[in-house]
Every structure is written in structure tokens, then in C-alpha cells.
Amino acid sequence: MKKNDKYSNMSVIEAQYEAQKIAFAPFVFQVSKALRDLKVLEILNPALDKGLTFQELMDKLSLSEYSLSVMLEAGVSIGLILFEDDHYSLSKVGYFINSDEMTKVNMNFTQDVCYEGLKNLESSIVSERPSGLDFFGKWNTIYEGLTTLPKETQKSWYEFDHYYSDLAFDEILPIVFKNNPLKIFDFGGNTGRFAKKCLNYANNSSVTIFDHISQLEKAKKNFAADDYSDKINFMGIDFLDIKLKTDERADVVWMSQFLDCFSKDQVKDILGLAKDILNPGGEIFIMETCIDRQAYEAASFSLAQTSLYFTCMANGNSKMFQSDKLISYIEESGFEVTKIDDGVGGFHSLFSCKMK
Ligand SMILES: C[S@@+](CC[C@H](N)C(=O)[O-])C[C@H]1O[C@@H](n2cnc3c(N)ncnc32)[C@H](O)[C@@H]1O
């Protein structure tokens, strides 16, 4: 784990302030979301230079004096809104809350997928069971129930998932196809977005998506309109109970944002399976957002918090990796890491691996 100098030299006053930000963190989150969704930030946005008075804001928004004043006072105190000479304007932080796609995706994921369940974080930590998931249903992991979650929750989950992997997919295709693989197995292939990219990129290849049967129904629908029927296959599987019946072998096993859904021992079991079904000379590619390989502190911060989604909502026993741990699991499973590409799509590391 990296050192965090920022907090070691802080004054007592600063530290006490930071502690209050944590004590009131749910208030800060909810008022920021309200300022975004009730369009207060949007209305301040074009007025960045001179800003708007309270009365001008009242005139533009259908909110009472009381409603606007509680939001503005909170918004100014957390730095989303600037106040000078009786005028309110948008701060840089407010700009990110209102307009930055990544921030929006993260906030919606926090609100729609995690917020209720996070009340159970402590019991999840103690029991290594995702007890926050009880708010949605009785499943062992969120992945079994993903397609039956409430519509808004599913939307925010998929947008969060796709936002990060979509950024990376186009960049990594030349690396994955360097040795012209014909058969690709996509473990945790989800709705088939990577599979489609592969088939568009190299039309002599074929892809088999391995995932929960319920996810595959979504993936099949996404392929229904395309003429890929002879190149795409679907294999329903629960990787927590691997009884895979296939004689087929792969030139590439692709795992994107997938191994972080599993505990250490489960990761090794899955890598063992990958080894068994790989053709001689084949490669595995693992794409993960590792906490310790980020260029920006904001990214490491976000990933360390996202680990708590796995603890509380997803499965109770997995997390975002520190890369030295992931590399040791890969090596203990009989592979060697031949190359690591960092910063793929901004935040991912791509681990290219061959059998030892
Ligand atoms: C975080 S998503 C990543 C999806 C995709 N690979 C990407 O990069 O966007 C993890 C995927 O792994 C699948 N998955 C998780 N646990 C699984 C399990 N036990 N058996 C089968 N699939 C599983 C989920 O259904 C989901 O599609």
C-alpha cells in the first residue's frame, strides 16, 4: 500500500474539520445530488462569471425560499457553490458534480445500488457476507440477481460497469489480437460488449461468453440483430461451482473487471480452469483497475471505496486488487506475467500472461 502523506502533517483544526466531513458525509452526498438533480448547479453553470442573486435563482427555479436556502447554505459550505457580493456561482467542484460523466456514473451507482445497503457494511465486514444485498433480495451474490434488480438499480449498475470497461476496450484490441487468436473465451462477458468489439475487429475469430445464464439472456438479445450466429457462443456457468463441460479450447481467455468479483482462493480456481482450457501457446489477459497502479489520487481513493461495494453488496469476500497480490495469484496458478500495460482507458492495467 502507498504512503498517504497528506494526512500525516495536518493541523488539529484541519483534522477536526476532515472528521466532520466524514461524520456528515451522507448529508454532503445527498445535498450534492439534490443540487444536481433539481438543476441548481445547471442554472449556475452558464453564469460562471458573474453569478446569480438569491432572488434571480428563485425566479428561475420552482423552489421555495426555504428549500433554496438550505441547499445553497450547504452547497456553499461544501464548496460546490461560490458566494461573493450577494451572487452565487458554480465552483470547479460543482462543475464536476454537474457535468463530469465519471462523477455522475459514480454518484448514481452509490445512490441506486449501494446507499441503502451500506448501512450493513459493518456486519458484512464481520461476516464476509454481502448483507447490504438483503435490501434487494435473497442471493449469495449480486451477480445472480443482477437482471432482477429494480430497473433504476440495474441501469446505474450497468452504466458504472460499462463506463470503465468501454473506455479501455478499443485500446486493448491490438494487444489481444497480436498473435491472431481464433478462439476467445470471455469469462464474465456480461452483456457481450467486448465480444462484439472482437468480432468487429477480427472477423475470422469466434468468441464464447461465459457468465450466469440470466446475464447471457441479455447478451443474446444484444446479438439478435447481428449476423454473428456462427461466431458467437454462450456458456451458462456459475464460476463459484465450476463443473464446466466443454471439449473446446481457447487461444485467448479474456477476463475484464472479472477476477475482482472473487476471493483469493476462487481467483486461483478460476485461473486453474483457464489453464485447463487453454491451447498450447495460448494467452490469458486480465484487465483490472488496481488501487496501487493509478496515476491520480482520486482514482486510488475511488477504487478503495469501491472495494466496499464488493464487501457489502456484491459478494462479501472480494476487492479491487493491489497488483502485487494479483501477480502472486497469477504466478501461483502456473502462469507468468509477460507484460503489464498501465493506464489503459485511463485506469486499467492489462496483464498479459502465458503458461509457465
Ligand atoms: C463487473 S462485471 C464485468 C463485465 C465485463 N467483463 C466488463 O469488463 O465490463 C463482472 C461479470 O462477471 C460475472 N460474474 C460474476 N460472478 C460470476 C459467477 N460466479 N459466475 C458467472 N459469472 C459471474 C457477472 O455476471 C458480470 O457479468
Side-chain angles (χ1 to χ4, degrees):
M1 207 184 305
K2 280 187 190 162
K3 249 170 84 182
N4 192 347
D5 287 333
K6 195 168 122 188
Y7 293 97
S8 46
N9 300 320
M10 202 173 246
S11 73
V12 171
I13 299 290
E14 284 168 335
Q16 196 183 31
Y17 182 24
E18 287 297 317
Q20 303 327 300
K21 286 188 193 165
I22 294 168
F24 285 98
F27 294 75
V28 172
F29 175 83
Q30 290 298 345
V31 78
S32 302
K33 204 178 133 317
L35 282 160
R36 181 194 74 176
D37 294 348
L38 296 173
K39 313 273 184 228
V40 181
L41 301 181
E42 188 179 308
I43 282 173
L44 288 172
N45 203 357
L48 197 62
D49 287 336
K50 67 176 174 47
L52 296 172
T53 63
F54 191 91
Q55 190 55 53
E56 284 169 337
L57 273 167
M58 284 270 290
D59 294 343
K60 286 176 185 286
L61 294 157
S62 3
L63 292 166
S64 72
E65 184 183 334
Y66 167 75
S67 306
L68 191 56
S69 64
V70 280
M71 278 200 296
L72 288 178
E73 281 165 17
V76 169
S77 76
I78 58 180
L80 259 54
I81 295 171
L82 306 173
F83 181 65
E84 204 179 343
D85 296 335
D86 281 333
H87 283 74
Y88 296 90
S89 61
L90 198 67
S91 73
K92 288 194 186 110
V93 183
Y95 169 82
F96 273 93
I97 295 289
N98 192 48
S99 304
D100 176 52
E101 193 54 31
M102 181 173 73
T103 309
K104 272 193 214 170
V105 162
N106 289 346
M107 276 187 101
N108 294 347
F109 177 76
T110 300
Q111 169 74 9
D112 298 327
V113 181
C114 305
Y115 205 87
E116 294 281 350
L118 275 170
K119 286 179 205 152
N120 290 359
L121 178 63
E122 192 174 320
S123 72
S124 299
I125 287 171
V126 173
S127 62
E128 293 196 19
R129 196 184 77 75
S131 41
L133 191 53
D134 297 346
F135 281 90
F136 291 120
K138 291 272 166 233
W139 303 292
N140 291 323
T141 73
I142 201 169
Y143 305 104
E144 296 161 32
L146 214 48
T147 55
T148 43
L149 288 175
K151 283 277 165 286
E152 202 53 31
T153 309
Q154 278 193 52
K155 182 170 178 288
S156 295
W157 189 94
Y158 282 108
E159 282 176 1
F160 183 74
D161 181 86
H162 293 161
Y163 178 81
Y164 293 98
S165 45
D166 281 4
L167 284 176
F169 284 162
D170 288 329
E171 250 181 78
I172 49 79
L173 286 169
I175 303 174
V176 173
F177 282 92
K178 191 173 49 110
N179 295 323
N180 303 314
L182 294 178
K183 197 147 202 79
I184 292 138
F185 286 178
D186 183 357
F187 282 8
N190 196 240
T191 52
R193 289 162 92 90
F194 180 71
K196 208 172 254 197
K197 294 255 177 202
C198 289
L199 298 176
N200 286 335
Y201 186 83
N203 61 13
N204 59 344
S205 63
S206 72
V207 181
T208 304
I209 301 177
F210 293 72
D211 211 306
H212 278 297
I213 288 174
S214 52
Q215 292 277 26
L216 293 180
E217 292 311 313
K218 266 191 186 271
K220 282 178 191 169
K221 276 192 199 134
N222 288 342
F223 278 91
D226 297 319
D227 188 22
Y228 283 131
S229 50
D230 56 334
K231 292 173 184 292
I232 183 81
N233 297 294
F234 303 95
M235 182 72 76
I237 183 174
D238 183 351
F239 281 97
L240 295 177
D241 180 23
I242 303 174
K243 291 187 208 85
L244 185 63
K245 289 193 184 66
T246 179
D247 297 328
E248 291 195 50
R249 293 292 172 264
D251 302 314
V252 158
V253 175
W254 169 253
M255 292 169 255
S256 158
Q257 295 183 174
F258 171 68
L259 289 180
D260 55 35
C261 303
F262 299 94
S263 71
K264 175 170 102 177
D265 291 338
Q266 292 160 358
V267 167
K268 290 190 200 167
D269 286 346
I270 291 168
L271 291 174
L273 169 69
K275 201 167 146 209
D276 291 344
I277 59 178
L278 206 56
N279 277 325
E283 287 179 283
I284 63 169
F285 292 94
I286 297 168
M287 194 167 81
E288 288 290 343
T289 44
C290 295
I291 299 176
D292 60 320
R293 300 185 85 92
Q294 299 303 319
Y296 297 103
E297 205 183 322
S300 303
F301 169 86
S302 303
L303 290 170
Q305 310 317 310
T306 305
S307 281
L308 303 172
Y309 144 79
F310 290 109
T311 314
C312 188
M313 304 304 300
N315 51 39
N317 59 11
S318 78
K319 64 190 281 298
M320 292 300 182
F321 293 105
Q322 299 279 352
S323 58
D324 58 341
K325 290 270 194 255
L326 178 58
I327 292 167
S328 73
Y329 306 154
I330 294 170
E331 287 177 347
E332 285 163 32
S333 305
F335 291 96
E336 66 172 304
V337 177
T338 53
K339 190 165 169 256
I340 306 176
D341 293 279
D342 287 320
V344 180
F347 311 106
H348 287 85
S349 297
L350 179 67
F351 297 82
S352 304
C353 314
K354 282 202 155 171
M355 271 191 257
K356 277 184 188 162

